Amino acid sequence: MIPITKPDLGPDEQEAVCRVVGSGWLTQGAEVAAFEQEFAACTGAARACAVSNCTTALHLALLAHGIGPGDEVITVSHSFIATANAIRHCGAEPVFVDILPDTFNMDPAALAAAIDPHTKAVLCVHQMGMPCDLTAIAAIAEHHDLPLIEDAACAIGSEIRLDGRWQAIGGRAGATACFSFHPRKVVTTGDGGMVTTSSQTHDQLLRLLRQHGMSISDKARHESPQVLTEAYPIVGYNYRLTDLQAAIGRAQLRRLPDLVARRRALAAGYALRLADLPGVVAPVEPEWARSNWQSYCIRLPAAADQRQVMQSMLDQGIATRRGIMCIHREPPYRAGEHRHLIHSEQAQDGCILLPLYPALTESEQDQVVAALRRALHSPARSRRLEEPVEAAA
Ligand SMILES: *Cc1c(COP(=O)(O)O)cnc(C)c1O
């Protein structure tokens, strides 16, 4: 069985966990602080604040930019549901715009057309690790004096060329970017998240919000020779990352260049193998973007039945996933008119994700593409559907 993904964990991560267990300090402490510094250095961001996951990262980033009840935030429907949930967690309402079919990312023209006096922020997504068009999107946000927050859940190690210079996602001047360390992403801590920002004010607010609004951390009080008492000036949350998770993250981060290089080689390998499959469209990078290939999303031939192709591949031992979900099709977000989200719906219904993870071998890639070829040419009834008949006979 070839799974859709497999986290790349080894002796370094095991050693990291043992080190923290031995230290006697398990939650947000020295390991989290070190992870934040190393993460800021690796993205080129001025500051990085670790939190419990990317959903809480997005929630706090929106709060730090003053988003609250009654506000509208423009984002994409073609994303994991957490993107919109984080907006709702602030009491605000997401307004969905469509994607461009080639990059699966926010259409800047659709963004420009959707801005109105209720708009209070833009939440763009670097979907599947592919950078969205930040040059255009940031210019539109700036023109309307709107904060821009980047959902970079999938995009650690992805790069974009801005003003003629390649930079990591999260490192753009003025950026607020939110990352995820869920096992489906390129770097994992089990669960975990990070907010990078160039604003010291926002960074301080994020640090208060993630730890109950506490003015002096438990760590600082523990280490002080003087008796210190803390205050709680604002209502905060418990959105901490633990030192156990941070230690795993530090080990993962050291391997990031290798992990991304391997993923890029595998993506190139798929592109070669898929070239002679008629009607299959492989994903491509715009010339200003370098993806970390967190996911590899192909468009099926128009006549193919997505579900049947996925079932046939599963029958052949290959896990796939449907295209990225459309948030506006889920019950909490169905209200309103969504006819304009045609490219988002087509991406969900007409695309599949292929297995891609560092341990995937080239011969396994051959198997994946051979299984896809058979799935596209097999008759509509899959083997799985015929099995009960055989069992009854
Ligand atoms: C995974 C993901 C999230 C949520 O990340 P968690 O760390 O699981 O909370 C948010 N947005 C996008 C685009 C994602 O892919």
Side-chain angles (χ1 to χ4, degrees):
M1 187 72 210
I2 300 179
I4 189 74
T5 193
K6 207 186 266 182
D8 191 278
L9 300 163
D12 289 355
E13 286 78 4
Q14 287 185 357
E15 185 279 322
V17 172
C18 291
R19 182 178 74 232
V20 175
V21 171
S23 80
W25 189 284
L26 300 187
T27 195
Q28 182 182 291
E31 293 283 346
V32 166
F35 185 35
E36 290 172 338
Q37 283 195 350
E38 289 158 15
F39 195 91
C42 119
T43 52
R47 292 170 184 83
C49 177
V51 288
S52 50
N53 54 64
C54 186
T55 311
T56 54
L58 290 165
H59 183 196
L60 295 192
L62 289 161
L63 290 179
H65 283 91
I67 301 306
D71 293 343
E72 289 184 0
V73 178
I74 299 180
T75 190
V76 287
S77 170
H78 177 265
S79 186
F80 184 55
I81 197 156
T83 308
N85 283 348
I87 296 170
R88 282 273 177 91
H89 292 162
C90 299
E93 200 50 36
V95 172
F96 299 121
V97 297
D98 209 3
I99 55 165
L100 294 166
D102 52 348
T103 61
F104 301 102
N105 276 323
M106 181 182 274
D107 177 354
L111 165 64
I115 292 171
D116 73 13
H118 301 289
T119 310
K120 291 293 164 350
V122 178
L123 176 51
C124 63
V125 181
H126 304 294
Q127 195 50 261
M128 299 181 277
M130 185 71 76
C132 68
D133 187 353
L134 275 180
T135 304
I137 291 169
I140 294 165
E142 200 173 318
H143 178 73
H144 293 271
D145 208 12
L146 293 169
L148 173 62
I149 295 145
E150 299 171 39
D151 181 341
C154 304
I156 184 171
S158 298
E159 293 174 292
I160 186 163
R161 202 180 60 226
L162 296 170
D163 302 323
R165 195 166 65 83
W166 285 101
Q167 24 193 310
I169 293 297
R172 182 178 61 91
T176 302
C178 301
F179 296 84
S180 171
F181 308 124
H182 181 272
R184 272 292 290 276
K185 320 296 175 166
V186 171
V187 156
T188 187
T189 61
D191 265 310
M194 192 75 78
V195 187
T196 60
T197 172
S198 41
S199 157
Q200 192 179 355
T201 314
H202 284 165
D203 187 63
Q204 280 169 351
L205 183 52
L206 294 168
R207 284 166 198 282
L208 265 185
L209 286 169
R210 73 174 169 178
Q211 173 138 282
H212 308 289
M214 188 189 287
S215 65
I216 305 173
S217 75
D218 43 6
K219 182 93 185 342
R221 283 178 278 132
H222 175 73
E223 286 169 353
S224 171
Q226 259 97 49
V227 173
L228 294 176
T229 49
E230 77 284 13
Y232 299 86
I234 58 171
V235 175
Y237 302 85
N238 179 355
Y239 283 177
R240 286 181 302 244
L241 192 73
T242 68
D243 264 17
L244 286 161
Q245 293 164 312
I248 297 173
R250 294 178 69 194
Q252 291 264 288
L253 215 50
R254 281 196 289 278
R255 289 220 307 280
L256 180 65
D258 292 342
L259 295 174
V260 172
R262 178 68 191 144
R263 286 175 168 277
R264 292 182 60 78
L266 288 166
Y270 269 140
L272 274 177
R273 287 168 174 81
L274 294 169
D276 65 343
L277 273 187
V280 171
V281 182
V284 288
E285 292 167 320
E287 51 89 24
W288 43 262
R290 289 185 192 140
S291 181
N292 64 5
W293 298 106
Q294 180 268 338
S295 286
Y296 193 84
C297 180
I298 62 166
R299 207 173 283 275
L300 296 173
D305 176 332
Q306 180 198 49
R307 203 177 173 90
Q308 186 254 319
V309 169
M310 293 174 70
Q311 186 64 57
S312 167
M313 291 185 72
L314 191 59
D315 293 344
Q316 299 176 68
I318 315 288
T320 60
R321 293 289 182 272
R322 66 172 179 179
I324 299 293
M325 67 180 290
C326 282
I327 298 171
H328 73 274
R329 285 170 158 176
E330 298 303 320
Y333 298 101
R334 260 182 217 158
E337 179 58 64
H338 297 303
R339 262 183 312 186
H340 59 295
L341 299 174
I342 183 75
H343 293 305
S344 303
E345 294 187 351
Q346 283 174 355
Q348 179 181 358
D349 299 339
C351 294
I352 62 170
L353 312 187
L354 299 183
L356 198 158
Y357 48 88
L360 189 74
T361 64
E362 288 176 23
S363 85
E364 285 172 328
Q365 282 196 293
D366 289 339
Q367 288 175 49
V368 171
V369 175
L372 173 63
R373 188 186 302 273
R374 279 192 291 272
L376 289 171
H377 294 125
S378 70
R381 277 166 70 82
S382 76
R383 194 152 51 82
R384 174 73 48 97
L385 288 173
E386 282 165 8
E387 265 162 17
V389 181
E390 283 166 29

